[in-house]
Amino acid sequence: MSRPYVIDEMISAKAIAARIEALAKEIEARFKGTDKLVVVGLLRGSFVFIADLVRELDLPVEVDFLEASSYGNSTVTSREVRILKDLRGEIAGRDVLVVEDIVDTGHTLKHVIGLLKSREPKRLSCIALLDKPTRREVDVKADWIGFEIPDEFVVGYGIDYAQRNRNLPFIGAVRFTDGA
Ligand code: PRP
Ligand code: MN
Ligand code: MG
């Protein structure tokens, strides 16, 4: 059983959309002229972000997914990143953009970047909607960040708490109401 909580809006759907529009322009500038950008969403958390981001990108794109999980149903990272589902496509010699919802300790993104780099893409960049720099345990940084946020437990826009709340259209902070 999870503790009782309420969700306080932290970043509105409108603010997210405006930020994605700006980020898409920067990504277009970086990858202008690419024959094809392979946009890799890290499941499950990035499914909403990648859907909105690719629709703003005026570039030839391929969409692929990779599932890496370190938290499972827990709220604490295991620090052990498991690949639950690999890419369908080849990325050797291609331009690749990894799309993540949030960088917390950094274990997930670092592991995925290491794995994908070993496949020798032409260029590999990463974008994360949210960054919690104060939580970092390993040295990793996305090339583009949507919003830097404080160390609060967030949900919505793809991000879950015990597999719930991924469908909220905004980013919210979880506030426990049992006083513990
Ligand atoms: C969450 C989140 C990031 C990762 C960030 O995924 O979506 O992928 O944790 O944490 P880290 O920087 O400490 O590694 P989770 O493992 O919960 O899987 P999910 O995306 O399926 O919710
Ligand atoms: Mn995730
Ligand atoms: Mg999760």
Side-chain angles (χ1 to χ4, degrees):
M1 267 296 280
S2 74
R3 293 164 58 191
Y5 62 91
V6 294
I7 296 166
D8 301 319
E9 184 171 292
M10 181 189 261
I11 308 170
S12 71
K14 223 175 153 184
I16 295 168
R19 185 72 185 117
I20 289 175
E21 219 180 288
L23 289 165
K25 291 207 172 73
E26 292 182 26
I27 292 166
E28 280 167 16
R30 169 84 59 96
F31 290 105
K32 192 166 182 251
T34 185
D35 57 326
K36 188 174 66 183
L37 179 64
V38 184
V39 183
V40 173
L42 303 193
L43 294 171
R44 299 174 199 162
S46 75
F47 80 104
V48 177
F49 182 34
I50 191 174
D52 282 347
L53 182 65
V54 292
R55 283 180 291 177
E56 287 295 329
L57 282 180
D58 186 16
L59 289 173
V61 303
E62 173 176 334
V63 175
D64 206 339
F65 293 97
L66 189 136
E67 182 166 18
S69 194
S70 60
Y71 288 75
N73 289 334
S74 164
T75 57
V76 184
T77 179
S78 63
R79 293 186 179 76
E80 212 177 285
V81 183
R82 291 176 302 150
I83 300 298
L84 303 179
K85 180 206 168 293
D86 205 340
L87 297 176
R88 286 268 292 278
E90 302 288 332
I91 57 164
R94 309 233 76 101
D95 287 327
V96 177
L97 176 68
V98 174
V99 178
E100 180 59 306
D101 52 334
I102 182 166
V103 186
D104 190 321
T105 65
H107 289 282
T108 304
L109 190 60
K110 187 164 182 125
H111 184 89
V112 168
I113 288 174
L115 174 72
L116 297 186
K117 272 197 173 153
S118 74
R119 297 178 187 177
E120 303 185 337
K122 184 168 157 214
R123 288 182 286 187
L124 179 76
S125 299
C126 306
I127 182 168
L129 181 67
L130 304 177
D131 187 15
K132 274 190 196 174
T134 59
R135 292 260 307 163
R136 203 71 89 250
E137 292 181 4
V138 290
D139 186 30
V140 65
K141 201 162 175 16
D143 300 271
W144 294 281
I145 297 291
F147 302 91
E148 207 174 282
I149 60 166
D151 183 15
E152 289 199 54
F153 202 92
V154 291
V155 293
Y157 201 74
I159 302 171
D160 71 301
Y161 170 45
Q163 302 305 334
R164 290 175 184 243
N165 307 119
R166 292 193 199 269
N167 57 324
L168 291 175
F170 56 87
I171 298 287
V174 170
R175 180 161 49 88
F176 294 100
T177 51
D178 58 3

